[in-house]
Amino acid sequence: MSNIQLIIEERAADIGKFLVGRLLPFRQKRMIGPFIYLDHMGPVKLNAREQMDIRPHPHIGLSTLTFLFEGSIMHRDSLGNAVEIQPGAVNWMTAGKGIVHSERTPDYLRDSEKIMHGLQIWVALPKDLEQMEPEFFHIEAQQLPTWEEGELQFKLVAGEVMGHRSAVPVYSPLYMLEIKSKQKQTVDLEGKLFGESGLYILGGGIESEGNQFGPKQILVAKDTSLCAFTIEANSTIYIFGGEAFPEERFIDWNFVASDKELIRKAKENWEAQAFAKVPGDEEEFVPYPTFPKK
C-alpha cells in the first residue's frame, strides 16, 4: 500500500512583478502540521530596471520563514528591523497580534542584473500565542545544524528532529529539513519524523514504491513513521511538517487566525491605517484587496 496520501503540484500565482509557485494551501490539504502557506519564488532573472518591491503589508497569527537559494532581499518591519536576507540564512518573523513588513531589492543591487530564488513560508501559531507580541529573528546560515549520514547531506532549517535542533525559535513541534544527495541512494526516515509530513522536491527527483516524482511537487505522507524512498542523483528535497493543531485556521489575505473575529478586526485596523508603520518605508499603503464574488 502506498504511503503517499496526496500529490500537490506547484501552481503559478501572481504577486505583482513575480510569478511564484504556490504549493500550500491546497484545496484538498489546507495545512501540513502547522505549515499553512508555501511559495516557491523563482528562479527569476531581473534586469537593472526590474526590482523586487513588495510594499509594506500586515500579518497576524503566524510566523513567516524566508529562505533564499539565490539573490538578496532587504527586510524592514514595524519593529524597526532592517536586515538583508542572503542565501542560506533564515528570516523568522512572528506576527502575533500584528506586524507590518516590506521586502525589496537592496539599494546596491538596483542598478544591476540579479536572480531571485527561494522559499517563502507561513507557519501558523498555536491558539494561545496568536495574539503574542510580534518578534523578529535573523539566523545566519552557519547557525543552522548540518550533518551527514553516509552520502546524504542534512540541514535543519527550522524546528527539531533526528536529535538536532535549529536556532530558529519556533512555537510548536515542527521541522523543516533539507536533504541533498549527489548519488542515487535510499533515504530511510522511518520512525524519525512525527506529526504530519510533506516532501517538497526542489531539484532532481525521488522514487517511491515504483513511482517517479520530479521538481515542483509536494508529496504528503499518510504515515510519517513509514517514510522511506529512493533519492535520485543530484537532488535537493525538503521535508517539513509537525504536530497539527486541533482547531481550524482561517486565511484572509495576509491574516491567519483560529477566530474569524480576529481577522475582521485586523482588516478594520489595516483599512484605518492603525497598524504601526515601517521605519524607512512609510510612504506606500497597500489597500486591502477586493476579491471577486464567486
Side-chain angles (χ1 to χ4, degrees), residues 9 12 23 34 51 69 88 92 116 124 128 157 196 211 230 244-246 250:
E9 301 281 352
L23 291 149
Q51 318 296 340
F69 309 123
W92 179 259
M116 290 302 307
D128 62 341
V157 178
E196 298 182 334
N211 299 303
T230 299
F245 297 131
F250 303 101

Side-chain angles (χ1 to χ4, degrees), residues 34-160:
F35 290 78
I36 195 167
Y37 181 98
L38 194 156
D39 271 355
H40 176 206
M41 176 179 59
V44 60
K45 187 174 183 178
L46 303 176
N47 63 37
R49 299 181 305 278
E50 297 173 317
Q51 318 296 340
M52 180 178 188
D53 277 317
I54 300 178
R55 296 175 294 167
H57 58 281
H59 292 285
I60 66 165
L62 55 82
S63 297
T64 64
L65 188 159
T66 303
F67 188 67
L68 295 182
F69 309 123
E70 296 179 271
S72 179
I73 297 174
M74 190 66 195
H75 163 98
R76 289 185 174 87
D77 63 46
S78 52
L79 297 178
N81 298 294
V83 177
E84 183 180 351
I85 315 169
Q86 295 186 328
V90 173
N91 252 31
W92 179 259
M93 183 184 75
T94 298
K97 65 182 183 180
I99 198 167
V100 181
H101 75 134
S102 63
E103 298 161 290
R104 299 184 185 272
T105 298
D107 288 343
Y108 72 93
L109 293 175
R110 296 181 82 86
D111 294 325
S112 60
E113 291 186 347
K114 51 262 174 191
I115 294 176
M116 290 302 307
H117 189 200
L119 295 175
Q120 295 205 307
I121 294 165
W122 295 357
V123 180
L125 287 167
K127 186 174 182 178
D128 62 341
L129 294 176
E130 285 182 306
Q131 290 289 286
M132 68 180 281
E133 292 296 323
E135 295 179 339
F136 173 82
F137 296 92
H138 181 81
I139 294 86
E140 297 291 354
Q142 60 269 26
Q143 294 178 262
L144 300 178
T146 59
W147 68 98
E148 294 185 0
E149 293 187 9
E151 298 298 320
L152 293 170
Q153 298 176 304
F154 292 83
K155 177 184 292 183
L156 186 57
V157 178
E160 187 171 1

Side-chain angles (χ1 to χ4, degrees), residues 20-21 52 72 78 116 179 213 251-252 288:
V20 299
M52 180 178 188
S72 179
S78 52
M116 290 302 307
I179 304 177
F213 302 97
I251 302 180
D252 189 331
Y288 183 87

Side-chain angles (χ1 to χ4, degrees), residues 280-291:
D281 203 347
E282 304 100 334
E283 299 303 317
E284 295 184 280
F285 175 75
V286 180
Y288 183 87
T290 55
F291 299 101

Side-chain angles (χ1 to χ4, degrees), residues 145-193:
T146 59
W147 68 98
E148 294 185 0
E149 293 187 9
E151 298 298 320
L152 293 170
Q153 298 176 304
F154 292 83
K155 177 184 292 183
L156 186 57
V157 178
E160 187 171 1
V161 75
M162 298 173 64
H164 298 269
R165 185 175 184 177
S166 169
V168 177
V170 303
Y171 291 101
S172 66
L174 62 86
Y175 47 87
M176 180 179 171
L177 182 67
E178 177 189 89
I179 304 177
K180 291 187 173 184
S181 181
K182 293 182 180 179
Q183 64 186 46
K184 185 175 181 177
Q185 59 186 305
T186 299
V187 180
D188 188 353
L189 300 176
E190 291 192 16
K192 298 180 181 180
L193 305 177

